[in-house]
Amino acid sequence: MIYFLSDAHLGSKALDKGFGRQKQLCIMLRKMGKNASAIYLLGDIFDFWFEYFIHDHSKKQYSEFMHTIRHLTHKGVRVHFFTGNHDLWTFGGLAKMTGMVVHHHPYSITVNDKSIYMAHGDEFMPDKRFQRLRRIFHNKGLQYCFRCLPPFLGNALGYGWAKRSRLKELAHPLPYQGEEKEELVQYAKQHEHKSHHDYYIFGHRHIDLDLQITANSRVVLLGDCFKLWTYAKVDDQGELTLCSYNSQL
């Protein structure tokens, strides 16, 4: 079995306090690990993640998650981590700590002749303001300068920015916009004209969606792992199912 999940936003200052969500995510991952050959984490697992030149003691807050991932990778489960727009600033440290394979770009696999295209999804959002901000976040020179900051200062800025973003979303959630207006659905349709994939799987939007866009192609939006607790799985025959953690795992 192959599992796909995204958008846990661990460490968020806007969501519930304490480590309850991290614990539930780890329980979920350990259950998946019982029959998983691979697990794909499609971005924004952390609400903010940055690797500084100076050791960051605050990373200890994720010790249970790190331990769970190390346990999975050591037992032979291939765990893949896709950078999102909240946790793109890993420069090798996260992979070293956990044994995960880190992806900075879309990635495709084939399972029993079923082609699967994966990405976090933020790179395909057409909003000009968002894309300007994304270019700033991906700027190598600015990343280097931010890495020079003491972690307490960088984290105050990063978690503060992420908190404002999360509070804004919680106050004004963006529901499903319909097939013709949903940007990731439109991207998948455009991509399908160039190169066929049976499944397009994205995170980022915090809505769960399984939509047939052609006779042989579907778009799946994974939802999240802080409110909806949804995920997708693909069995050995290549059949995909979008599931709820509370009822299906």
Side-chain angles (χ1 to χ4, degrees):
M1 195 76 72
I2 300 176
Y3 293 95
F4 309 83
L5 57 148
S6 71
D7 295 274
H9 290 275
L10 296 178
S12 171
K13 307 299 184 185
L15 299 174
D16 57 338
K17 301 293 189 293
F19 298 93
R21 288 185 304 106
Q22 180 175 184
K23 185 177 292 294
Q24 184 168 346
L25 177 64
C26 291
I27 292 171
M28 180 176 175
L29 288 168
R30 288 194 292 269
K31 287 183 178 181
M32 290 176 172
K34 292 178 180 179
N35 67 348
S37 59
I39 297 174
Y40 289 84
L41 308 176
L42 295 191
D44 285 359
I45 298 303
F46 303 99
D47 205 44
F48 177 69
W49 177 275
F50 200 97
E51 294 169 9
Y52 305 91
F53 290 121
I54 303 171
H55 180 67
D56 182 7
H57 296 283
S58 73
K59 295 292 190 293
K60 290 181 179 179
Q61 67 178 305
Y62 304 121
S63 59
E64 185 174 3
F65 174 78
M66 298 298 184
H67 176 77
T68 299
I69 297 297
R70 283 196 300 270
H71 173 74
L72 291 171
T73 56
H74 287 168
K75 69 178 283 190
V77 178
R78 301 187 305 276
V79 182
H80 296 253
F81 181 94
F82 286 67
T83 56
N85 52 303
H86 282 255
D87 49 17
L88 64 98
W89 301 280
T90 175
F91 311 105
L94 187 58
K96 186 177 180 180
M97 282 187 276
T98 60
M100 291 191 292
V101 177
V102 175
H103 300 274
H104 296 273
H105 304 285
Y107 186 68
S108 298
I109 61 173
T110 300
V111 180
N112 197 22
D113 295 327
K114 297 286 189 179
S115 175
I116 304 172
Y117 181 94
M118 292 170 281
H120 178 60
D122 66 303
E123 57 267 68
F124 308 132
M125 306 301 284
D127 181 80
K128 292 182 179 179
R129 181 179 177 275
F130 180 84
Q131 288 302 325
R132 282 197 299 270
L133 188 63
R134 190 174 184 276
R135 285 193 293 272
I136 291 172
F137 288 164
H138 282 262
N139 183 281
K140 299 297 183 184
L142 294 176
Q143 287 177 355
Y144 181 89
C145 292
F146 205 91
R147 291 188 79 186
C148 295
L149 293 176
F152 80 89
L153 178 57
N155 288 340
L157 294 170
Y159 282 107
W161 161 77
K163 179 180 180 179
R164 289 192 296 273
S165 173
R166 194 67 42 242
L167 289 173
K168 181 179 179 181
E169 182 200 10
L170 291 172
H172 305 285
L174 184 63
Y176 177 55
Q177 299 295 289
E179 186 173 345
E180 299 306 317
K181 293 184 178 180
E182 197 64 51
E183 288 96 342
L184 293 177
V185 172
Q186 289 303 305
Y187 172 80
K189 287 183 175 182
Q190 293 166 13
H191 193 280
E192 186 65 12
H193 288 306
K194 304 172 186 176
S195 177
H196 169 68
H197 293 279
D198 295 279
Y199 308 126
Y200 292 87
I201 305 179
F202 303 117
H204 186 62
R205 274 287 281 117
H206 301 175
I207 59 174
D208 54 324
L209 176 72
D210 184 353
L211 179 68
Q212 196 88 29
I213 57 172
T214 71
N216 300 304
S217 187
R218 289 156 60 190
V219 176
V220 173
L221 304 185
L222 289 172
D224 63 54
C225 289
F226 65 88
K227 181 176 59 177
L228 298 174
W229 291 95
T230 46
Y231 67 96
K233 63 182 180 181
V234 173
D235 63 23
D236 294 338
Q237 287 70 50
E239 294 303 316
L240 183 148
T241 308
L242 184 61
C243 307
S244 166
Y245 165 67
N246 294 320
S247 62
Q248 297 289 332
L249 194 61

